[in-house]
Amino acid sequence: MHFLDQAKIYIRSGAGGPGAVSFRREKYVEYGGPDGGDGGKGGDIVFEAVAGLNTLIDFRYTQHFKAPRGGHGMGKDRKGAQGKDLIIKVPVGTQIIDDEDRETVLADLVEAGQRLTLLEGGLGGRGNASYKTSTNRAPRQHQPGLPGEELWVWLRLKLLADVGLVGLPNAGKSTFINQLTNTRAKVGAYPFTTLHPQLGVVRHKEREFVLADIPGLIAGAAEGAGIGDRFLGHIERCRVLIHLIDIAGTDPAEAMQIVEEELSAYGGGLEEKPRLVVLNKIDLADPELAAAFASELKEAGADQVFAISGATGEGIDALLDGVIAYLPAATVTERPQGEREEQDETPWSPL
């Protein structure tokens, strides 16, 4: 499946149906008169967040969405049919942004099943029966239906994850997320093997959380260098960030500073999020070198440094313990091991 996190679409609600001009004329019916019904209301444009979607690729091929108009009013006081609402299904975490300035957020759909009526259909017009009075017994006026609303909007997807993974290219992020989850992220001995965000579910000590991996950052990403910073929006909603640093790559303190500067340049509150600094690939270095680099990182501003190996799994349990400390308490209380529910010794009876 191709990943797409931005799309521009055109939406238009349905117009209201016109009212009818009609008169009752039946043999042996002494009193006739106007009986034109009202037009039906046009369909609304409704956005719905659904679980199971994580891309906007469908909107690359279908970009125009138009709700049906309301039906015409008819004789015998029959009202026109209401236009069916057009429901546009989007992934959870989708923002709807006004096309005029590309900054105004019209809606933010962050829960599965959340619905929003963005454009309402036009009201149906009045038929001539509604104009009948004691002095105007044969009205011929009617109303056309009100037009629908139309709008160009941008859809922008920001994935919902509890923990975000950042670092320079080749820091071992793909290997790390593959070690913890069932994600099959591409791993290679060259930069930018990850070209779009990856999501995985981590299970640790009877807890679950969603981990998001984004393409690596390099110096100048805020100005468009490399893949740029366009994917940083996918970790804006994370509670904590894991900053992976390659022990065998660029000087660790310099690598940490580069990513910190890019997060600060991007904004969006990323610079204020708690971060866990992780020294990765310790299987490629001796313990003394790892301890020396950890000291350098603490001198550069890191509160705590976790030393791990994404390939062998060494040190990952301690890191996950640190991650869980930043997550909300579990919603389901687990029963302690060894504790069982008391048995009901009352004999069973069908009565």
Side-chain angles (χ1 to χ4, degrees), residues 15-336:
V21 175
S22 174
F23 293 89
R24 181 181 182 186
R25 295 185 181 89
E26 297 182 40
K27 192 175 182 180
Y28 306 121
V29 176
E30 183 178 0
Y31 298 104
D35 65 350
D38 299 338
K41 178 181 176 295
D44 299 337
I45 294 291
V46 181
F47 284 88
E48 179 182 5
V50 297
L53 294 178
N54 58 6
T55 177
L56 298 173
I57 190 64
D58 292 339
F59 298 98
R60 169 171 288 179
Y61 308 107
T62 304
Q63 299 172 339
H64 291 75
F65 297 86
K66 303 174 184 178
R69 65 177 300 161
H72 291 248
M74 293 174 284
K76 299 184 180 179
D77 291 313
R78 289 176 292 175
K79 184 176 180 179
Q82 180 172 331
K84 187 177 180 181
D85 296 341
L86 178 59
I87 300 176
I88 303 175
K89 297 183 178 181
V90 296
V92 177
T94 300
Q95 291 182 328
I96 305 173
I97 301 171
D98 191 355
D99 179 50
E100 290 189 3
D101 56 8
R102 296 192 62 175
E103 292 182 358
T104 303
V105 178
L106 303 176
D108 194 359
L109 305 176
V110 296
E111 296 180 1
Q114 183 178 352
R115 280 194 173 196
L116 171 73
T117 301
L118 191 63
L119 299 181
E120 292 190 354
L123 296 177
R126 295 169 59 187
N128 70 332
S130 64
Y131 288 96
K132 180 177 61 175
T133 66
S134 61
T135 57
N136 186 12
R137 298 187 178 186
R140 294 185 177 275
Q141 65 263 46
H142 73 289
Q143 284 184 334
L146 296 180
E149 301 173 313
E150 58 182 356
L151 193 64
W152 282 95
V153 296
W154 279 88
L155 303 181
R156 181 171 63 191
L157 175 61
K158 291 185 177 181
L159 298 175
L160 297 181
D162 302 301
V163 183
L165 200 56
V166 297
L168 295 178
N170 279 355
K173 300 189 299 299
S174 296
T175 302
F176 178 77
I177 195 171
N178 287 345
Q179 176 74 239
L180 296 180
T181 72
N182 291 329
T183 305
R184 290 179 173 83
K186 184 177 181 180
V187 177
Y190 54 90
F192 300 114
T193 54
T194 300
L195 298 177
H196 57 78
Q198 302 276 356
L199 286 180
V201 178
V202 181
R203 294 174 177 84
H204 179 67
K205 291 186 177 179
E206 315 224 350
R207 298 286 301 277
E208 289 187 357
F209 61 86
V210 179
L211 176 66
D213 173 27
I214 64 170
L217 299 172
I218 63 175
E223 284 75 41
I227 298 182
D229 61 0
R230 61 164 298 195
F231 293 118
L232 284 177
H234 294 288
I235 59 174
E236 285 185 19
R237 307 179 194 269
C238 294
R239 301 177 185 274
V240 59
L241 303 180
I242 295 177
H243 183 178
L244 277 188
I245 299 175
D246 183 2
I247 196 173
T250 308
D251 176 65
E254 180 183 351
M256 184 178 73
Q257 189 63 30
I258 289 174
V259 174
E260 292 287 336
E261 290 176 355
E262 296 306 321
L263 293 178
S264 179
Y266 176 82
L270 293 183
E271 69 280 4
E272 300 174 359
K273 290 187 178 296
R275 286 185 284 281
L276 301 179
V277 179
V278 179
L279 199 58
N280 192 23
K281 304 182 183 179
I282 60 172
D283 54 305
L284 303 179
D286 55 69
E288 292 77 11
L289 181 61
F293 279 145
S295 299
E296 289 184 14
L297 291 173
K298 290 181 180 179
E299 292 176 1
D303 296 330
Q304 184 179 4
V305 179
F306 296 87
I308 71 162
S309 170
T312 66
E314 181 182 353
I316 287 182
D317 284 346
L319 171 60
L320 296 182
D321 289 342
V323 170
I324 287 178
Y326 288 94
L327 302 182
T331 56
V332 178
T333 304
E334 299 291 340
R335 183 179 295 113

